[in-house]
Amino acid sequence: MGEVRKSDVLIIGSGVAGMTCAIKIAEARPDIKVTVISKTNKEESNTFYAQGGVAAVWNEETDTQEKHIADTLDAGDGLCDEAIVRMVVQEGPERVKELISWGARFDKERDGDYNLGKEGGHSENRILHYKDITGREIQRTLIEKAASLPNIKVLENLFAIDLLTQHHLGYNITRLTPGIACYGVYALDKNNLDVEKHLARVTVLATGGAGQIYRATTNPTVATGDGIAMMYRAKGRLNNMEFVQFHPTSLYNPAVEKQAFLVSEAVRGFGAVLRAKNGEAFMDKYDSRKSLAPRDIVARAIDNEMKIRGDEFVYLDCRHLDMTEFKKHFPNIYEKCLEEGYDAAKDMIPVVPACHFFCGGILVDKNGKTSVSQLYAAGECTASGLHGANRLASNSLLEGLVFGHNIAEDIASSIDSLTFRIEIPDWDARGTTNPKEMVLITQSWKELKDIMSSYVGIVRSNVRIRRALDRLRLLYQETEVLYNTTALSPQLCELRNLITIAYLVTRSASMRHESRGLHYTTDFPDLLDHLEETYL
Ligand code: FAD
Ligand code: SIN
């Protein structure tokens, strides 16, 4: 049996949202013990791979917060919560300044002003970036800052399995039960496969997205939607799960199984143009903003062109750009393309859309409070109202910074009245045996990716969604049998979570009888004139 651990605040996830929250609580309340857990190493996260940067109004001579708000609302296609959008845009620059004060570097012009990039859907240049590896720089900064605070402990290779609630004290909990509360998590120690009980006065989910439900994704393998799935099992509220963002331009390489390489939208912001295989620039058929239209429009346009032409990719043409500047701005992308045999100065780069970001997730308020008491959530695992039906590029790192901060303020002022629930029982592993064939898990994961990619991708329909639901049901039943009879492994827990996420995306898609933002279905191609939200 694993250890029993206690922390005042337990944060699950070491990306931008979790780390910011940990730092801000630790600074505000040096008397409070904060633990951050990460299921692999503390660097590995969607945050680490962020390229384009952080959107924030920086140059007030050319840009205004109203413009950033309008662009965010426009991308969100009617489903953003305007009050939340305003809050994030207004607080954003302050949070970015804080990050800079902790040591984050962003590229500057010769005159010392920040070099501001542009991405799809932005009416102005407002994206602060560090070359094309902004996420790596932010992650480094946050890890170093956290290490300087003695009341933060970061535990790696610890996999949160389930939230502890009254269910674990023997009560029957349903989605209608009032007053559900969270007392910490059960977590699997990946070093010895023991399950430990981790008690907390307050728990924060910052577990990121779930791109791994699709065959092609820009997300690393840790993005398996664990926090959202845990919340669903704990009977908490989720929202807008059908809105899955596909990034228009990941580097085409059918041999890559786990994580597609992103070619940042900032490359199009720098002037690169999308072309069909025959060289035709096709985006003007779809939107006056051409290659820099919001992502949902560009990804659907590429999907359509590939289908009409029978091509397996389109090209991104950078050949006309100033290559000295290009290499300065995008050294990582330039090198990666070169490794794959494409010199951006001479060759067009083959690209395809890939699953990139989850706009829906755990429903939270402006302070990151969820429907479960003593439980907060921040970052990509949430539906905060910022992104609505489609996220504006580079608003996600900003969301993590702002909500991490707000949650910390709320916890710092409310935690004193909260206690531990020490009567939660230890994990019970009786009746399980070691798995005989781990390959069954890998096969089911592949099947799941095929189902979601074939039936619940960029363009959906009733028939496709029904097919997906039928097939997911079978996968779910098989996986539950495995889960109830075999000893836990991280792979099995992830598969179970991925199936839950796939079900939630598909079920929410089946409930939305219109096309809005990232959800496009051929059976209901128009927008409804009244708004619907799909709570689960
Ligand atoms: P993450 O950074 O994904 O962190 C999740 C953490 O949770 C990880 O530490 C993980 O180990 C941990 N975790 C998950 N499950 C468990 C579990 N069961 N137990 C314990 N720990 C767990 N956004 C922008 O704004 N600008 C960009 O330029 C940009 N570029 C991007 C480029 C790429 C390639 C990708 C993939 C995303 C990009 N995004 C960008 C999106 C953005 O990076 C993410 O949405 C954001 O970083 C999410 O931060 P987070 O803290 O919510 O989650
Ligand atoms: C990119 O650099 O294109 C990704 C930006 C984002 O996802 O916000």
Side-chain angles (χ1 to χ4, degrees):
M1 191 49 59
E3 274 186 74
V4 179
R5 295 183 195 258
K6 280 168 97 177
S7 313
D8 296 311
V9 180
L10 172 62
I11 299 175
I12 302 161
S14 59
V16 64
M19 281 307 214
T20 303
C21 187
I23 291 165
K24 302 293 306 217
I25 298 173
E27 283 193 327
R29 291 287 304 264
D31 56 317
I32 278 180
K33 189 177 146 203
V34 182
T35 304
V36 179
I37 72 173
S38 174
K39 69 176 174 178
T40 58
N41 59 59
K42 52 186 178 289
E43 287 83 14
E44 187 65 350
S45 57
N46 275 1
T47 301
F48 182 85
Y49 295 93
Q51 293 187 353
V54 193
V57 173
W58 212 255
N59 183 347
E60 304 227 1
E61 278 168 27
T62 53
D63 199 5
T64 63
Q65 294 192 340
E66 284 308 315
K67 285 192 198 169
H68 189 184
I69 290 166
D71 293 345
T72 304
L73 293 173
D74 182 47
D77 209 4
L79 276 194
C80 297
D81 178 334
E82 186 169 340
I84 296 291
V85 173
R86 287 187 173 277
M87 178 197 80
V88 173
V89 168
Q90 283 160 6
E91 267 190 40
E94 200 47 44
R95 301 284 78 84
V96 176
K97 277 183 202 155
E98 235 158 38
L99 192 64
I100 293 170
S101 76
W102 297 341
R105 296 165 293 173
F106 293 108
D107 288 354
K108 289 187 173 170
E109 305 282 4
R110 279 211 184 84
D111 62 6
D113 285 348
Y114 284 107
N115 174 276
L116 301 173
K118 192 171 185 185
E119 292 178 47
H122 286 274
S123 55
E124 296 292 343
N125 284 53
R126 63 169 72 100
I127 297 165
L128 288 124
H129 60 97
Y130 180 67
K131 306 189 194 314
D132 53 357
I133 49 169
T134 311
R136 209 179 292 184
E137 175 63 7
I138 291 179
Q139 193 72 16
R140 176 197 67 76
T141 305
L142 294 171
I143 287 173
E144 283 178 17
K145 175 72 182 168
S148 74
L149 296 163
N151 52 334
I152 297 181
K153 190 197 283 181
V154 181
L155 303 175
E156 299 181 294
N157 292 313
L158 195 56
F159 188 113
I161 304 167
D162 262 320
L163 298 171
L164 303 173
T165 67
Q166 293 93 332
H167 168 76
H168 299 95
L169 295 170
Y171 295 95
N172 182 26
I173 304 291
T174 72
R175 280 179 209 290
L176 300 176
T177 306
I180 305 174
C182 176
Y183 311 123
V185 298
Y186 285 127
L188 180 69
D189 182 339
K190 287 169 73 176
N191 299 313
N192 55 19
L193 297 188
D194 277 349
V195 177
E196 61 184 50
K197 181 170 68 179
H198 202 131
L199 300 176
R201 292 155 81 191
V202 179
T203 304
V204 181
L205 288 170
T207 44
Q212 288 292 332
I213 61 171
Y214 289 95
R215 237 176 354 231
T217 177
T218 62
N219 291 189
T221 52
V222 292
T224 53
D226 302 348
I228 302 173
M230 284 192 266
M231 187 62 167
Y232 183 68
R233 288 196 288 274
K235 316 289 185 219
R237 283 188 93 181
L238 308 174
N239 197 16
N240 286 345
M241 285 295 291
E242 66 275 37
F243 297 113
V244 180
Q245 184 170 73
F246 284 75
H247 196 292
T249 56
S250 76
L251 188 59
Y252 172 71
N253 183 348
V256 169
E257 278 195 359
K258 304 259 162 155
Q259 183 182 12
F261 182 79
L262 181 72
V263 181
S264 175
E265 199 156 274
V267 173
R268 276 174 284 135
F270 195 76
V273 174
L274 286 164
R275 296 188 186 278
K277 255 176 148 176
N278 67 0
E280 182 191 336
F282 55 82
M283 271 311 297
D284 48 354
K285 284 194 288 189
Y286 297 90
D287 195 282
S288 58
R289 290 163 287 187
K290 301 183 187 169
S291 293
L292 266 188
R295 273 183 201 169
D296 54 336
I297 296 170
V298 182
R300 259 197 311 275
I302 295 177
D303 185 69
N304 194 41
E305 291 295 319
M306 284 170 23
K307 279 180 180 151
I308 292 172
R309 297 167 190 267
D311 292 342
E312 55 289 20
F313 55 80
V314 297
Y315 280 122
L316 190 62
D317 188 1
C318 307
R319 295 171 301 174
H320 55 291
L321 302 174
D322 174 340
M323 270 299 137
T324 312
E325 281 301 307
F326 185 91
K327 287 179 199 170
K328 222 159 69 193
H329 277 79
F330 309 111
N332 189 40
I333 293 172
Y334 181 78
E335 275 309 311
K336 177 69 186 177
C337 290
L338 212 51
E339 255 173 50
E340 300 279 328
Y342 311 107
D343 179 348
K346 298 190 210 119
D347 308 313
M348 292 201 279
I349 302 167
V351 291
V352 281
C355 174
H356 184 62
F357 183 84
F358 268 68
C359 293
I362 300 164
L363 185 67
V364 292
D365 71 6
K366 69 180 194 335
N367 293 323
K369 278 190 168 161
T370 70
S371 61
V372 171
S373 66
Q374 294 169 245
L375 180 68
Y376 294 76
E380 192 171 339
C381 66
T382 65
S384 68
L386 176 64
H387 310 305
N390 179 29
R391 176 182 65 111
L392 183 68
S394 288
N395 265 356
S396 177
L397 294 169
L398 189 70
E399 178 184 43
L401 293 171
V402 169
F403 278 85
H405 166 88
N406 289 6
I407 291 175
E409 282 201 333
D410 206 76
I411 292 176
S413 64
S414 63
I415 192 166
D416 293 325
S417 60
L418 303 171
T419 52
F420 291 102
R421 289 300 293 263
I422 50 172
E423 58 288 29
I424 295 279
D426 289 341
W427 177 260
D428 184 359
R430 279 173 304 177
T432 58
T433 54
N434 284 331
K436 292 186 190 66
E437 287 195 89
M438 289 300 278
V439 71
L440 289 179
I441 295 175
T442 325
Q443 280 158 349
S444 293
W445 191 329
K446 279 196 181 135
E447 245 177 88
L448 176 81
K449 282 172 176 273
D450 283 342
I451 294 169
M452 293 307 287
S453 306
S454 304
Y455 302 129
V456 203
I458 295 175
V459 175
R460 302 162 178 179
S461 70
N462 285 346
V463 173
R464 284 166 184 267
I465 288 173
R466 222 172 299 125
R467 278 191 172 204
L469 282 172
D470 287 344
R471 283 153 179 77
L472 287 172
R473 197 166 301 120
L474 186 62
L475 269 183
Y476 169 76
Q477 286 160 355
E478 288 169 357
T479 308
E480 282 308 287
V481 171
L482 262 186
Y483 185 81
N484 291 322
T485 54
T486 47
L488 283 193
S489 63
Q491 295 90 329
L492 179 54
C493 293
E494 286 183 337
L495 173 64
R496 189 169 178 243
N497 291 335
L498 286 163
I499 291 172
T500 302
I501 300 295
Y503 165 75
L504 292 169
V505 170
T506 312
R507 177 98 180 87
S508 300
S510 76
M511 287 158 66
R512 182 166 292 283
H513 296 163
E514 63 168 347
S515 290
R516 181 184 294 279
L518 297 160
H519 173 72
Y520 183 82
T521 162
T522 51
D523 289 298
F524 306 100
D526 301 320
L527 271 184
L528 283 179
D529 52 9
H530 61 280
L531 292 180
E532 281 182 359
E533 297 205 61
T534 49
Y535 291 103
L536 286 162

